[in-house]
Amino acid sequence: DAGVIQSPRHEVTEMGQEVTLRCKPISGHDYLFWYRQTMMRGLELLIYFNNNVPIDDSGMPEDRFSAKMPNASFSTLKIQPSEPRDSAVYFCASTRTGERYEQYFGPGTRLTVT
Amino acid sequence: AQTVTQSQPEMSVQEAETVTLSCTYDTSESNYYLFWYKQPPSGQMILVIRQEAYKQQNATENRFSVNFQKAAKSFSLKISDSQLGDTAMYFCAFWDRDDKIIFGKGTRLHILP
């Protein structure tokens, strides 16, 4: 299996622009997680899905952030409008029922907002 | 709420030495999982080792082993014969039935040649 795929790997954008991060989970996995990693706050869970349905979005920082999972093989995390404090590494991870303790992480997207 | 605490922000050891990273956690659950993840400079999150709370035997993966003290809620990682490639950020993490993994703040480990 190819593992969790994220794109782009690096994104540099200007404040106020819309940013879309993409994730393809491992085939057969029915859970998908979005994390944000910063020096100050460490690794934070933003939102997670089960069978394409958002289960817990309590970690989403504010209304500028939104996430969707239109099908089992694709998810997006969108920031609109972006701000410099959104600069971070965003990870996507997936797992499956019965092995929920083992999350497989993607390589991450490093976002820089100038 | 569950918490995970790593009290060592940064450590350095000489190559080939043994190093122990500390982790404590807080939970009222009796059945859960604990993990150590490694994040090398490339940024990838890599699962190093996993421990199931109902198992008394400490988990071991090659040069990596844990000391799991359930009563003390302690879960340390020992790296034997450390190698330059072990240089990374190490995260202790906790999972119970809530689907979420709770991560500690991390310990930055430097292996010196």
Side-chain angles (χ1 to χ4, degrees), chain A residues 42-59:
Chain A
L43 201 61
E44 306 172 276
L45 176 65
L46 299 177
I47 185 172
Y48 78 94
F49 296 83
N50 178 221
N51 290 322
N52 314 334
V53 176
I55 303 301
D56 186 343
D57 65 354
S58 59

Side-chain angles (χ1 to χ4, degrees), chain A residues 7-27:
Chain A
S7 64
R9 294 293 309 277
H10 302 273
E11 177 80 34
V12 180
T13 191
E14 292 183 347
M15 183 175 64
Q17 297 297 307
E18 177 180 295
V19 176
T20 300
L21 311 182
R22 297 172 176 81
C23 175
K24 176 179 169 55
I26 292 173
S27 177

Side-chain angles (χ1 to χ4, degrees), chain B residues 49-63:
Chain B
I49 200 164
R50 178 179 70 232
Q51 175 78 42
E52 298 164 64
Y54 67 88
K55 291 187 176 179
Q56 292 186 334
Q57 186 172 5
N58 289 323
T60 300
E61 288 287 342
N62 300 312
R63 297 183 295 107

Side-chain angles (χ1 to χ4, degrees), chain A residues 9 31 33 35 37 39-43 45 48 55-56 58 91 100-108, chain B residues 33 35 37 39 41-47 50 89 91 95-101 103-105 108:
Chain A
R9 294 293 309 277
Y31 281 84
F33 302 81
Y35 292 90
Q37 185 180 30
M39 288 290 290
M40 291 297 293
R41 301 174 68 89
L43 201 61
L45 176 65
Y48 78 94
I55 303 301
D56 186 343
S58 59
F91 287 99
R100 287 180 293 157
Y101 49 81
E102 186 141 7
Q103 294 186 13
Y104 295 81
F105 282 77
Chain B
Y33 288 77
F35 313 87
Y37 280 85
Q39 187 177 40
S42 64
Q44 180 76 39
M45 290 288 286
I46 302 166
L47 179 63
R50 178 179 70 232
M89 194 77 165
F91 294 94
W95 181 89
D96 65 9
R97 295 163 296 171
D98 192 28
D99 289 337
K100 302 177 187 180
I101 291 182
F103 288 87
K105 295 295 187 185
R108 188 173 298 281

Side-chain angles (χ1 to χ4, degrees), chain A residues 36-111:
Chain A
R36 179 174 66 176
Q37 185 180 30
T38 61
M39 288 290 290
M40 291 297 293
R41 301 174 68 89
L43 201 61
E44 306 172 276
L45 176 65
L46 299 177
I47 185 172
Y48 78 94
F49 296 83
N50 178 221
N51 290 322
N52 314 334
V53 176
I55 303 301
D56 186 343
D57 65 354
S58 59
M60 296 286 263
E62 48 198 276
D63 292 344
R64 298 184 298 105
F65 285 69
S66 63
K68 294 182 180 179
M69 192 164 186
N71 58 61
S73 59
F74 183 66
S75 177
T76 59
L77 178 66
K78 185 176 293 186
I79 308 172
Q80 166 64 18
S82 59
E83 296 183 3
R85 61 194 168 114
D86 302 330
S87 297
V89 179
Y90 291 81
F91 287 99
C92 175
S94 71
T95 190
R96 60 186 173 192
T97 301
E99 293 184 352
R100 287 180 293 157
Y101 49 81
E102 186 141 7
Q103 294 186 13
Y104 295 81
F105 282 77
T109 294
R110 183 173 295 277
L111 173 64

